[in-house]
Amino acid sequence: MSAADGVRVSLDVAVEPAVAFEVFTTELDAWWGRGPRFRFVPPYAGSMRLEPGLGGRLLHVVNEAGRIFEVGRIEAWEPPSRLAFTWRLANFRPGQITRVEVRFEPIEAGTRVTVSHDGWDSLPPEHPARHGLTGRAFVLMKGGWWGELLTSLKDVAEHAAEHPGGHQR
């Protein structure tokens, strides 16, 4: 894996690390984006779910009939500071896998959530997941994508802290 293929995005959230970790893992569907940009298989609806603990799965539950796409498996489960999981899209071939690590660092104003998404060099430059982009252009695109998700996480986590028991969406 080369350093050039990695994406790293950080955002400060005004909640304690335990709250940020909890919202990230148990309220995934409340903050994860909807539609074809953020869901993994057609019809790009359904829900997102994370099974807690080492070996748990990151799932896109496509429909009520039980169709499920497994995005990845948890490789590190260290509440409230760290989470890591494998990541793949439906059009990845065997051996094409990326990895996501999420860190929840205490800061004076709450928590700095940092997502690192590496392993993109396992995909050839012409792979559809790259959207015709390589190098810096690809990193900026994927960083923007994670930035949107973290902004949504921030909104949901801070709302949850202000209104315990309520959901934003």
Side-chain angles (χ1 to χ4, degrees), residues 37-113:
R37 283 193 66 223
F38 297 102
R39 302 295 162 128
F40 295 87
V41 294
Y44 306 108
S47 62
M48 296 296 299
R49 185 172 73 217
L50 186 68
E51 298 172 339
L54 198 58
R57 301 175 299 165
L58 172 60
L59 301 171
H60 173 197
V61 181
V62 179
N63 59 34
E64 293 177 14
R67 182 169 173 228
I68 294 175
F69 174 71
E70 182 179 310
V71 178
R73 294 251 175 189
I74 297 174
E75 296 184 320
W77 182 266
E78 302 167 12
S81 60
R82 182 173 172 259
L83 169 69
F85 49 91
T86 60
W87 174 280
R88 68 183 188 91
L89 297 177
N91 59 5
F92 281 26
R93 289 184 309 224
Q96 292 178 330
I97 195 155
T98 63
R99 287 188 164 69
V100 176
E101 179 177 34
V102 188
R103 293 199 174 261
F104 303 84
E105 174 190 2
I107 58 172
E108 187 174 326
T111 303
R112 177 159 297 135
V113 180

Side-chain angles (χ1 to χ4, degrees), residues 21-37:
F21 188 94
E22 181 78 12
V23 170
F24 191 101
T25 58
T26 66
E27 299 293 328
L28 189 68
D29 195 58
W31 62 265
W32 196 275
R34 303 213 180 313
R37 283 193 66 223

Side-chain angles (χ1 to χ4, degrees), residues 5 7 9 37 87 89 117 120 129 131 133 136-148:
D5 85 321
V7 175
V9 177
R37 283 193 66 223
W87 174 280
L89 297 177
H117 194 162
W120 292 102
H131 302 279
L133 303 173
R136 181 171 168 74
F138 174 75
V139 168
L140 288 172
M141 182 267 301
K142 190 50 84 177
W145 187 85
W146 275 111
E148 283 185 56

